[in-house]
Amino acid sequence: MRQGPRRVAEHPDTAARTLPELVSSGVVRARTGDLGVAPVLIGLAILWTVFTALNPVFLSPTNLVNLTMQSAATGVIAIGIVLLLLIGEIDLSVGSVSGLAGAILAVGSVQLGLPLPIVLLAALACGPLIGLVYGLLYTRFGVPGFVLTLAGLLAALGAQLQVLGTAGSITIPFDSAIVQFGQQLFVPAWLMYTIDAAVVALVAWRLVAEARRRAEAGLAARSTAAIALRVGALALLLFACSWYLHQDGGRGVGAMVLLFVILVAGTHLLLTRTRFGRAVYAVGGSVEGARRAGIRVARVQISLFVLCSTFAAIGGILAAARLAGANQSSGGGDMFLNAIAAAVIGGTSLFGGRGSAFSALLGVLVLTSISLGLTLLSLDSSVRYIVTGAVLVLAVIVDSVSRRSRAAAGRA
Amino acid sequence: MPGPALSVARPDEHPDRILSLRGITKRFGAVRALTGVDLDVHVGEVVAIVGDNGAGKSTLVKILAGVHPADGGSIRFFGQLTPIDSPTDSLDLGIATVFQDLALCDSLDVVSNLWLGRELTRAGALDEVEMEKRSWGLLRELHARITDVRVPVASLSGGQRQTVAIARSLIGDPHVVILDEPTAALGVSQTAEVLNLIERLRDRGLGVILVSHNIADVLAVADRVVVLRLGRNNGEFRASETSSDALIAAITGAMDHSRRGGDDPE
Ligand SMILES: Nc1ncnc2c1ncn2[C@@H]1O[C@H](COP(=O)(O)OP(=O)(O)O)[C@@H](O)[C@H]1O
Ligand SMILES: [Mg+2]
C-alpha cells in the first residue's frame, strides 16, 4: 500500500473518476511495480483454499477464532517492525523486549503482588525506555540498527532472566484480570456489530465529505458510485468477519484481537493522515531530502525506535496474558523472526519508504494460517519452519522485483 | 567582519538588500572551499554566481541553505546579523534552496514533495484537499507542464522534476530563492522553461541567486553576475554591460579581478 491517500487525479478539470478508470489505474500501478497489499491477499487466499481443501476444519469459525487470537501478540509486535522498516531500519530485539515486558508483568503481579495497573505500566514502560536508548545511540553515533538491536536483544534477554530470577517460570492465576482479558474476554456480538456500523458510517462520512470538498476545490473527486463501492466492500468485510466468527460455537472477536486491529488502524491513520507519518515516508525515501526539507530526521528516527519497542512491550504483555504466565523462553525462539517475517510478508519493503500498517495484520495472518493449517494436518514445526521460510523468500522476491520494475517505470 | 570599505554595516542604508554576505570562509579539512567571499542580493534581482567546477559555488549555496555552517564571515538578513546553522534556520528566514541534486523524495508524490516539512493541517490531520488545490494554483502560475500531481516524482521528466523543486521553494513565501545549476541536466526547451520561471520569480519581487556555469543562460536572465574562482570573488559584472568573453576571462583567471571582489555595485 502506498503512503497517503492516493487520487489518480488525471487533471483537476476532469470532474469525477469512473469505475473503469479506477480499474485501469490499478493495472498501471501493478505493472509499474506498485503492488501494495495485493500479493499478500492473493497468498492468503491460496493458503486458505489449500488448507481448507486438505482439512475443512481449517475454515471453521472455532479455528478462525483461534487463528485471530494466536495472531494478536505477534501482530502487535509486527506493527513496530513495519514502522522501522519504513525508514529502512530493523529491530532484532523485539522478541526479548516482549519477553522482558511479560516477565515484569508476571513477577510484579504474582511474586510481588503489586496492583495490576502499576505492573502493567511498569511492563509497558520498558518498551519506550529501551527504544529511547536505541534512538539516541542510533542518531548520536550512527550505530547501524541491526547491530544496536542485536546487542539490545542480548541485554533485554539478560534483564528478562534477572527479573524472572530463580523461579524461571511464573504462572499468572487464571482469575487474574489480565489473564481473563487474554483468554476469556470476547466482544459480544451486538457490540461488535455496533463497532462495525460506527466504523462504516465514519468512513462513509469521511469519503463523502472529502469528495465534496474536492469537488468544491475543483479537484478530481471520487464518484458516488466509487464511494458506494468502497463503503459497501468495507461493510461486507467487517460484518462478514464479525458474523462468521460467531457461528457454530465460535466465540467471536477476542478483546485482544480488537485491540490489535485498533492499533493497526491507529498506526495507519498516524502514517497516512499526519505530518509525522508524512515525515516517516520522506525519511524512508530519502534522508537527505527530508533533512533539507526541514524535517528533523533524528526526532523521527528516535520516535520510531521508541514506538517499535513500545509495540514489542505491548505484544509481550498480550502474549503473557494469553499464555497466563511468563518463563525464560517467553519472547524467545522464533518470536522476533515471525514479527519481522510478518511485516515483510505483509508487503512492507525492506528497502524503506514503502509499506502500510495493514501489512502487519495481513502478514501475521499468513504466518498463523501456515502454523495452524499444518497443525491440523498433524505436521510438526519442522515443516512449519520450512514453509514459512519459503513464503518469506517469496515475499522478498516480490518486493525486490516490484522495486526493480518501479525503477524501470521511473517510479522508484 | 566587514572592513571599513564595505558599506553594509548600517541596516537602514539598503532597505532593498535582502542578503549580505561578507568574508565567508569554509574549509573541508585541507581544502579551502571558500575564502573571504562577499555577496549581496536585492529585492527583485537575479544574481548569478558563475565559476569553474570546484570554484565553491555549491558550497556557498549550502552555507546559505544551512547544510554546512560557515567557518567565518558574516551573514546579514535585511541588515540583521543572522547565523544560519541548520536547514530549518535557513527556511525560517525565508531562504529557499533548489539544490543541484534537487533533494526531492522520489517515492512521494508531487503534492507531498511540494509541502514536505510544512504540510497544511485541518483538525490535526493533513489537509490534502487544500494542499492539492494550492499545488495546482502554484504549478499553473509557473506554467508548469505537469498533468498529475499524485504520481511519485520519480516518474517525472528532468524538467518536470526541476519545476517541482522550484515550485516547492515558493511554498513558504520566501524572500530569496537559490537555484544551484538548475539547467545543468536539462535539454534546450526545458532550459528555456526554467529560465522563464526564473524571470517569473524576479517579477514576484523575490531575490534570486542563480548558480550556473552556462554563460549564455546567465547573460539571458541575470541582472548581476558574481564570479567565483578557486573559492574567492573574482569580479562582479552587470549582465547588461558585460560580454561572455569578459565573464570567461574572469572565470578562467585570464583576468584577475580578485581585488575588486565585494565592491559595492552601486
Ligand atoms: N562535503 C565536502 N567535503 C570535502 N570537500 C568538499 C565538500 N564539498 C565541496 N568540497 C570541495 O570544495 C570545493 C568547492 O566545491 P563546490 O562548492 O562543490 O564547487 P562548485 O559547485 O563550484 O563546482 C571543491 O574542491 C570540492 O572538492
Ligand atoms: Mg556545484
Side-chain angles (χ1 to χ4, degrees):
Chain A
M1 189 172 271
R2 299 156 82 180
Q3 64 289 334
R6 290 283 163 174
R7 299 303 100 72
V8 187
E10 263 57 339
H11 201 267
D13 304 326
T14 49
R17 293 171 58 202
T18 55
L19 223 56
E21 268 173 11
L22 211 80
V23 172
S24 73
S25 80
V27 171
V28 169
R29 274 193 218 170
R31 216 177 274 149
T32 52
D34 205 354
L35 299 167
V37 292
V40 62
L41 282 179
I42 295 169
L44 203 55
I46 294 175
L47 276 176
W48 284 28
T49 311
V50 171
F51 282 134
T52 308
L54 294 175
N55 185 346
V57 173
F58 182 82
L59 215 55
S60 71
T62 329
N63 189 55
L64 292 187
V65 168
N66 200 5
L67 186 130
T68 56
M69 292 295 281
Q70 198 167 316
S71 296
T74 310
V76 170
I77 300 174
I79 302 174
I81 297 291
V82 168
L83 288 174
L84 274 182
L85 282 181
L86 283 179
I87 59 165
E89 270 307 333
I90 198 146
D91 183 346
L92 299 178
S93 72
V94 284
S96 9
V97 171
S98 77
L100 176 59
I104 294 174
L105 177 70
V107 169
S109 61
V110 177
Q111 287 193 336
L112 306 179
L114 296 170
L116 192 58
I118 294 180
V119 181
L120 276 178
L121 214 63
L124 191 61
C126 75
L129 275 178
I130 293 170
L132 189 64
V133 172
Y134 288 158
L136 291 176
L137 293 177
Y138 179 77
T139 52
R140 286 283 152 80
F141 303 112
V143 189
F146 177 81
V147 182
L148 189 61
T149 58
L150 191 59
L153 181 156
L154 295 171
L157 181 60
Q160 179 186 351
L161 298 184
Q162 291 241 320
V163 168
L164 288 170
T166 47
S169 169
I170 296 167
T171 306
I172 308 177
F174 182 69
D175 54 4
S176 154
I178 188 74
V179 175
Q180 289 289 317
F181 171 83
Q183 297 186 350
Q184 300 298 321
L185 191 60
F186 285 81
V187 186
W190 64 268
L191 182 58
M192 207 52 231
Y193 290 136
T194 314
I195 295 174
D196 292 344
V199 169
V200 170
L202 207 72
V203 169
W205 171 75
R206 235 197 50 72
L207 285 177
V208 170
E210 195 201 54
R212 188 172 304 154
R213 275 193 79 212
R214 291 183 65 86
E216 276 168 13
L219 302 172
R222 279 203 182 87
S223 66
T224 317
I227 293 177
L229 194 76
R230 273 189 162 233
V231 174
L234 179 70
L236 190 70
L237 180 74
L238 292 183
F239 283 105
C241 287
S242 304
W243 174 80
Y244 191 73
L245 293 178
H246 278 106
Q247 298 308 299
D248 297 335
R251 303 182 66 185
V253 178
M256 215 164 66
V257 176
L258 183 63
L259 176 67
F260 170 41
V261 174
I262 289 174
L263 289 175
V264 168
T267 306
H268 176 73
L269 291 180
L270 179 75
L271 286 175
T272 55
R273 305 240 145 240
T274 68
R275 297 190 61 189
F276 175 75
R278 186 59 50 83
V280 170
Y281 284 106
V283 172
S286 156
V287 171
E288 192 54 26
R291 193 170 90 88
R292 294 199 196 156
I295 290 171
R296 289 180 172 82
V297 174
R299 275 194 214 175
V300 173
Q301 291 166 333
I302 293 173
S303 310
L304 291 177
F305 274 105
V306 167
L307 279 171
C308 179
S309 299
T310 307
F311 279 118
I314 298 175
I317 293 172
L318 294 183
R322 180 166 152 76
L323 303 174
N327 59 45
Q328 294 181 334
S329 62
S330 298
D334 55 358
M335 181 79 143
F336 80 96
L337 294 174
N338 278 335
I340 295 169
V344 176
I345 289 172
T348 294
S349 173
L350 285 166
F351 306 105
R354 278 171 184 276
S356 133
F358 287 110
S359 47
L361 178 69
L362 295 169
V364 80
L365 284 181
V366 167
L367 288 184
T368 320
S369 298
I370 293 173
S371 162
L372 280 182
L374 294 176
T375 308
L376 284 177
L377 299 175
S378 312
L379 293 167
D380 62 2
S381 35
S382 60
V383 181
R384 175 167 65 88
Y385 286 136
I386 294 170
V387 173
T388 307
V391 171
L392 180 59
V393 165
L394 212 64
V396 175
I397 290 174
V398 168
D399 181 24
S400 303
V401 168
S402 69
R403 180 175 135 101
R404 213 182 291 158
S405 55
R406 264 200 311 276
R411 284 177 177 241
Chain B
M1 290 305 290
L6 304 170
S7 54
V8 283
R10 302 241 323 272
D12 47 321
E13 211 169 306
H14 296 281
D16 67 338
R17 181 171 289 172
I18 308 172
L19 260 180
S20 181
L21 276 61
R22 288 297 176 268
I24 296 294
T25 304
K26 180 71 190 175
R27 284 165 182 265
F28 294 105
V31 180
R32 291 165 143 258
L34 294 174
T35 313
V37 169
D38 301 343
L39 177 74
D40 292 316
V41 183
H42 301 84
V43 170
E45 177 187 48
V46 178
V47 181
I49 300 178
V50 297
D52 216 341
N53 274 338
K57 306 180 295 291
S58 293
T59 304
L60 188 59
V61 167
K62 284 178 180 162
I63 285 172
L64 283 171
V67 175
H68 305 310
D71 293 338
S74 67
I75 301 174
R76 281 172 191 272
F77 194 74
F78 284 112
Q80 297 286 330
L81 261 183
T82 320
I84 300 178
D85 293 325
S86 71
T88 318
D89 282 357
S90 172
L91 288 167
D92 287 348
L93 282 176
I95 300 173
T97 309
V98 180
F99 294 96
Q100 186 165 5
D101 57 4
L102 300 188
L104 296 172
C105 284
D106 277 348
S107 58
L108 295 183
D109 63 25
V110 175
V111 176
S112 304
N113 265 286
L114 288 180
W115 295 91
L116 196 60
R118 48 187 73 198
E119 293 88 355
L120 301 176
T121 56
R122 190 162 177 263
L126 292 175
D127 190 350
E128 297 285 354
V129 177
E130 188 64 26
M131 286 193 281
E132 188 169 329
K133 185 177 138 192
R134 292 205 207 168
S135 301
W136 280 116
L138 186 60
L139 291 173
R140 229 176 265 141
E141 195 181 330
L142 297 175
H143 299 264
R145 293 198 190 131
I146 290 177
T147 50
D148 186 349
V149 293
R150 289 297 181 183
V151 292
V153 294
S155 64
L156 301 180
S157 74
Q160 288 173 322
R161 288 162 58 82
Q162 190 64 247
T163 308
V164 171
I166 293 174
R168 165 158 96 180
S169 70
L170 298 180
I171 291 283
D173 253 326
H175 295 286
V176 186
V177 175
I178 305 173
L179 301 146
D180 192 0
E181 304 270 9
T183 58
L186 300 185
V188 178
S189 70
Q190 291 179 333
T191 297
E193 221 171 283
V194 169
L195 295 183
N196 279 335
L197 250 169
I198 291 172
E199 288 181 341
R200 276 188 213 108
L201 301 185
R202 171 174 52 199
D203 297 343
R204 281 174 154 228
L206 299 177
V208 179
I209 299 177
L210 167 65
V211 173
S212 180
H213 54 220
N214 184 323
I215 305 295
D217 290 358
V218 163
L219 287 176
V221 289
D223 300 301
R224 210 146 49 77
V225 186
V226 171
V227 181
L228 286 188
R229 187 174 135 68
L230 304 175
R232 294 170 190 272
N233 285 91
N234 195 31
E236 186 167 316
F237 304 84
R238 298 223 141 261
S240 53
E241 294 161 8
T242 191
S243 64
S244 58
D245 289 346
L247 285 182
I248 288 166
I251 290 169
T252 56
M255 189 77 89
D256 190 357
H257 296 272
S258 56
R259 302 174 128 248
R260 266 181 48 192
D263 274 3
D264 208 312
E266 276 126 301

